[in-house]
Amino acid sequence: MSFLGMGRPPATGYDENKINGIKGEMLMIQQMKDKASLVCLEKCVPNYYSDGDLNKGESNCVDRCIGKFFQTIKVIGTEMQKQQQGAM
Amino acid sequence: MSTASPKSTPPPRNPVLVALGIPRLRMPGRNMSIFLGTVLGISGMIYYDRKNRRANRQKWKDRVSYLANETLQPNGMPRKVTVYVAPPPGDHLDVTIAHFTQYVKPVLTAAAIDWELVEAKRQGDIRHQVAEQIRKERRGEGDSRDELMKAVTDGLKYDTEGGVICVGRGAYKEYLHGLNEGWLGPLEMPAPPQFEKRVDEVHGLLESGDDVTQTAVEASKAAEAGVATSQGPDANKSIEGDDSQEKQDKKPAVPKPYISQADYGSAPTPPELARITSFQPIVYIPLPHILGFLNTPIRTYRFFTKRELADRCGRLTASVALSQSRPFIPRIDLAQGMEEENEWPKKWKETALEKGSEWMQDFVVDDRIAERLRVYQLPLIEDEINPTSAAAIEG
């Protein structure tokens, strides 16, 4: 409704706010992935690189680390939502 | 000091003591000696036990840690063992889980083996779950993944070895019973025959009215068809039938076994079983647990000798990690854990026998199942028989 008669590109219109929202989410997901890789690499993979592939122990460790990481994020997310709702 | 004779000078005092201001060093007196002796003695025993427990654990971890250094392909999944835990009679599940965490888990993580912990809260949980899984496989519904999971996991290379660890005699019994029930029992739940009593009880309960009348009709038909169950489960049903009706709003009771121990021998061999040559090997991890005030001396002794337990459990878990197994011998393996069963509280055992509870029923494994089972056990390692060097003695 806002693009009618404003000279925007044709085809389906797009909402600036939605695009920004999606950009923000993508940025968040990317940051989360970077942070997770960094944390789990530091915890699970020792510094002496003898081989290019991860071995079984490191793989298991990384699996569990990422699992715990996302579980923690979920818990923190629900807590923050609760607090926000409580504040409102 | 002042008691010295005026003619001789006091002996020269140590300048260190003078600087510290200590008038004179003394040995502790009788009471203090007793106190210090007790405190240091007990602390020393605890310290010694802990140190050796850690050393034993580390010994087994080191023996299996070469497995963790093998490369894993990006699409490969590690080996996964199933661990069945059940609470010991008279106590909570935390005891078994703490035992698992202390003695079994370290060796599994050192060997980079993944595990799935199956907890049981009530008697029969493990048996039912194991049997249900087997029945699903027999029916052909073993693959319960949806489209997305199929797309994700089809490219992965799973390790097919598996393995089963039963922590405690209760879990061990239930697992074996579940195995028998799943393979030798019927695929569908047989309708329990003694339904007249239950129908009388539930006249008042409107929610379950429909289910009960339908199943009562089925039950009478089944009774005519001659579905027979032996005495033990019958008594079980009539007693626990009332309880389960009362508890229906709280939680559903564990379903009864589809086939009882007495019927194992007469059950026909299903074709699915004939195709299989061997099941996953199993192992029983001892869970020494004793309750009671009068057993305090025994419990104290056990508190101070946990290093032996660490060695035993570490060795059993290492056998799982190294996949060393031997065939199942009913004479030996059905008696594994008798010392644990003898420690179960007497009152608990008596009530369990009266009610016909699962853990106190006959421990029977059918021959067709026994010939396909294997048990994890490490053969005597050369160094343990004839230690030839100090390093070998220490492991």
Side-chain angles (χ1 to χ4, degrees), chain B residues 288-335:
Chain B
H289 180 260
I290 196 167
L291 292 173
F293 173 73
L294 291 178
N295 293 322
T296 306
I298 305 179
R299 294 170 74 186
T300 319
Y301 174 75
R302 288 201 183 157
F303 176 73
F304 286 118
T305 52
K306 286 192 181 154
R307 55 189 179 275
E308 324 254 332
L309 188 62
D311 200 23
R312 258 172 94 189
C313 298
R315 190 199 176 90
L316 289 166
T317 322
S319 68
V320 176
L322 303 172
S323 322
Q324 301 280 329
S325 61
R326 62 160 167 80
F328 183 89
I329 305 172
R331 191 174 42 88
I332 304 176
D333 290 311
L334 290 181

Side-chain angles (χ1 to χ4, degrees), chain A residues 22-79:
Chain A
I22 293 178
K23 271 191 195 166
E25 267 189 47
M26 289 289 296
L27 201 65
M28 234 171 44
I29 293 177
Q30 190 178 20
Q31 277 182 344
M32 207 154 68
K33 166 184 147 282
D34 286 341
K35 189 74 182 167
S37 332
L38 218 68
V39 165
C40 292
L41 206 73
E42 183 189 319
K43 285 195 174 179
C44 288
V45 179
N47 261 343
Y48 47 92
Y49 299 132
S50 56
D51 194 3
D53 297 314
L54 284 181
N55 61 31
K56 289 190 182 154
E58 291 160 2
S59 288
N60 274 355
C61 184
V62 168
D63 279 343
R64 289 189 195 128
C65 176
I66 303 265
K68 288 182 192 169
F69 189 88
F70 283 110
Q71 238 179 356
T72 320
I73 288 194
K74 215 169 35 163
V75 167
I76 293 178
T78 32
E79 274 304 310

Side-chain angles (χ1 to χ4, degrees), chain B residues 151-364:
Chain B
V152 168
T153 55
D154 265 345
L156 297 174
K157 286 209 191 79
Y158 286 94
D159 189 318
T160 49
E161 195 180 336
V164 168
I165 298 182
C166 300
V167 184
R169 178 139 165 106
Y172 182 57
K173 275 187 171 177
E174 281 197 30
Y175 176 74
L176 287 178
H177 283 159
L179 207 61
N180 283 290
E181 182 196 326
W183 284 110
L184 301 173
L187 282 176
E188 305 301 332
M189 160 127 69
Q194 289 200 355
F195 244 120
E196 299 83 48
K197 193 169 181 197
R198 281 179 85 173
V199 171
D200 290 346
E201 297 286 328
V202 297
H203 267 319
L205 295 171
L206 292 173
E207 321 75 36
S208 47
D210 290 347
D211 311 349
V212 173
T213 44
Q214 276 211 349
T215 41
V217 169
E218 280 174 31
S220 50
K221 284 195 195 153
E224 290 167 11
V227 172
T229 50
S230 75
Q231 205 50 35
D234 276 0
N236 205 1
K237 277 170 208 147
S238 55
I239 293 172
E240 295 207 356
D242 311 337
D243 292 351
S244 63
Q245 285 305 322
E246 289 159 12
K247 288 184 197 158
Q248 212 157 41
D249 20 314
K250 290 185 195 169
K251 63 184 171 194
V254 181
K256 306 290 182 288
Y258 289 17
I259 179 175
S260 68
Q261 271 85 328
D263 293 337
Y264 284 169
S266 51
T269 313
E272 304 99 15
L273 180 61
R275 267 182 262 138
I276 296 186
T277 44
S278 67
F279 297 131
Q280 290 181 4
I282 62 177
V283 76
Y284 156 76
I285 304 269
L287 175 66
H289 180 260
I290 196 167
L291 292 173
F293 173 73
L294 291 178
N295 293 322
T296 306
I298 305 179
R299 294 170 74 186
T300 319
Y301 174 75
R302 288 201 183 157
F303 176 73
F304 286 118
T305 52
K306 286 192 181 154
R307 55 189 179 275
E308 324 254 332
L309 188 62
D311 200 23
R312 258 172 94 189
C313 298
R315 190 199 176 90
L316 289 166
T317 322
S319 68
V320 176
L322 303 172
S323 322
Q324 301 280 329
S325 61
R326 62 160 167 80
F328 183 89
I329 305 172
R331 191 174 42 88
I332 304 176
D333 290 311
L334 290 181
Q336 290 235 18
M338 270 319 287
E339 65 267 8
E340 188 188 323
E341 185 162 334
N342 292 338
E343 288 166 8
W344 286 353
K346 260 192 271 190
K347 272 248 174 67
W348 186 94
K349 280 206 268 196
E350 282 161 20
T351 31
L353 274 173
E354 279 169 39
K355 283 169 64 168
S357 300
E358 306 212 15
W359 287 15
M360 293 307 291
Q361 286 178 359
D362 296 331
F363 193 19
V364 175

Side-chain angles (χ1 to χ4, degrees), chain B residues 15-86:
Chain B
V16 175
L17 294 183
V18 171
L20 283 174
I22 298 175
R24 74 174 269 172
L25 284 179
R26 270 186 296 212
M27 291 296 293
R30 182 196 70 137
N31 294 343
M32 186 54 109
S33 298
I34 295 174
F35 172 73
L36 283 179
T38 324
V39 167
L40 294 177
I42 294 182
S43 318
M45 284 202 280
I46 297 179
Y47 169 74
Y48 177 76
D49 183 55
R50 267 188 188 257
K51 184 160 146 254
N52 280 63
R53 204 186 330 160
R54 195 160 294 158
N56 284 342
R57 214 181 280 149
Q58 193 60 39
K59 174 179 89 170
W60 290 112
K61 280 164 82 166
D62 291 338
R63 274 216 182 134
V64 298
S65 60
Y66 74 92
L67 289 170
N69 292 333
E70 299 173 351
T71 44
L72 188 63
Q73 298 307 318
N75 62 345
M77 294 290 281
R79 175 176 163 200
K80 194 164 197 161
V81 301
T82 324
V83 183
Y84 292 101
V85 287

